[in-house]
Amino acid sequence: MKFRFSIVAEVAPSVSLDETAAGELGFIPITGGTVAGDLEGSVIGSGGDWCLIKSAGTYRVEARYGIRTTEGAYVDVVNTGILTRPGEGAHTPGRGGEYFMTTPVFRTTHPALAWLTHSVFVGHAVAGDGATSIDVFEVIVPGHPA
């Protein structure tokens, strides 16, 4: 895997939307943020993260938001993943702390950013007070140019 960029998505407090047998669904508004690395720009403050609490300490996340690059291009982001917090009751084998991995998918029509639409990416995220940080890695096939 090759590190490509980091996203820091600023967030507002969660809003409870629904509670069913499948779990409790919450919405976390994304209010802005920054992108730095091979992709540079700002997180547009009009998206959100729909978070399904499956059990104590286990969350399924689905975030949708946009990035405006420093050159003015628009990148649409759909980022799904799983967060487990052992301190809340979930157990993640082999890890002493939080496990938060995602699979972001990027869409854009900007020719210089076509590389975002031709590869699989993996994100390692950390949720904090007021922001979620995601280090984005491109999955590279051995023997192919990076």
Side-chain angles (χ1 to χ4, degrees), residues 1-7 78-82 95 99-106 115-116 119-125 133-140:
M1 291 197 297
K2 177 182 179 182
F3 173 78
R4 285 301 204 148
F5 52 92
S6 292
I7 301 170
V78 177
N79 197 3
T80 60
I82 187 165
R95 295 185 181 264
Y99 175 89
F100 194 175
M101 299 299 292
T102 68
T103 52
V105 175
F106 304 100
W115 61 274
L116 288 168
S119 291
V120 171
F121 294 87
V122 175
H124 176 246
S133 300
I134 307 163
D135 287 336
V136 177
F137 298 85
E138 182 179 10
V139 178
I140 305 293

Side-chain angles (χ1 to χ4, degrees):
M1 291 197 297
K2 177 182 179 182
F3 173 78
R4 285 301 204 148
F5 52 92
S6 292
I7 301 170
V8 177
E10 298 164 356
V11 297
S14 178
V15 176
S16 182
L17 297 178
D18 194 12
E19 192 168 342
T20 67
E24 180 184 340
L25 179 64
F27 176 72
I28 302 167
I30 295 175
T31 59
T34 58
V35 181
D38 290 341
L39 186 66
E40 297 272 339
S42 299
V43 176
I44 298 172
S46 61
D49 184 352
W50 288 260
C51 181
L52 182 64
I53 302 170
K54 298 292 289 176
S55 62
T58 302
Y59 308 81
R60 296 276 180 189
V61 297
E62 181 178 319
R64 295 174 178 264
Y65 52 96
I67 294 170
R68 180 70 64 193
T69 69
T70 53
E71 293 82 24
Y74 183 82
V75 179
D76 181 65
V77 183
V78 177
N79 197 3
T80 60
I82 187 165
L83 164 61
T84 60
R85 289 183 167 149
E88 295 180 19
H91 176 66
T92 306
R95 295 185 181 264
E98 182 175 281
Y99 175 89
F100 194 175
M101 299 299 292
T102 68
T103 52
V105 175
F106 304 100
R107 297 183 289 196
T108 184
T109 58
H110 196 279
L113 300 177
W115 61 274
L116 288 168
T117 66
H118 295 237
S119 291
V120 171
F121 294 87
V122 175
H124 176 246
V126 176
D129 290 333
T132 296
S133 300
I134 307 163
D135 287 336
V136 177
F137 298 85
E138 182 179 10
V139 178
I140 305 293
V141 176
H144 283 82

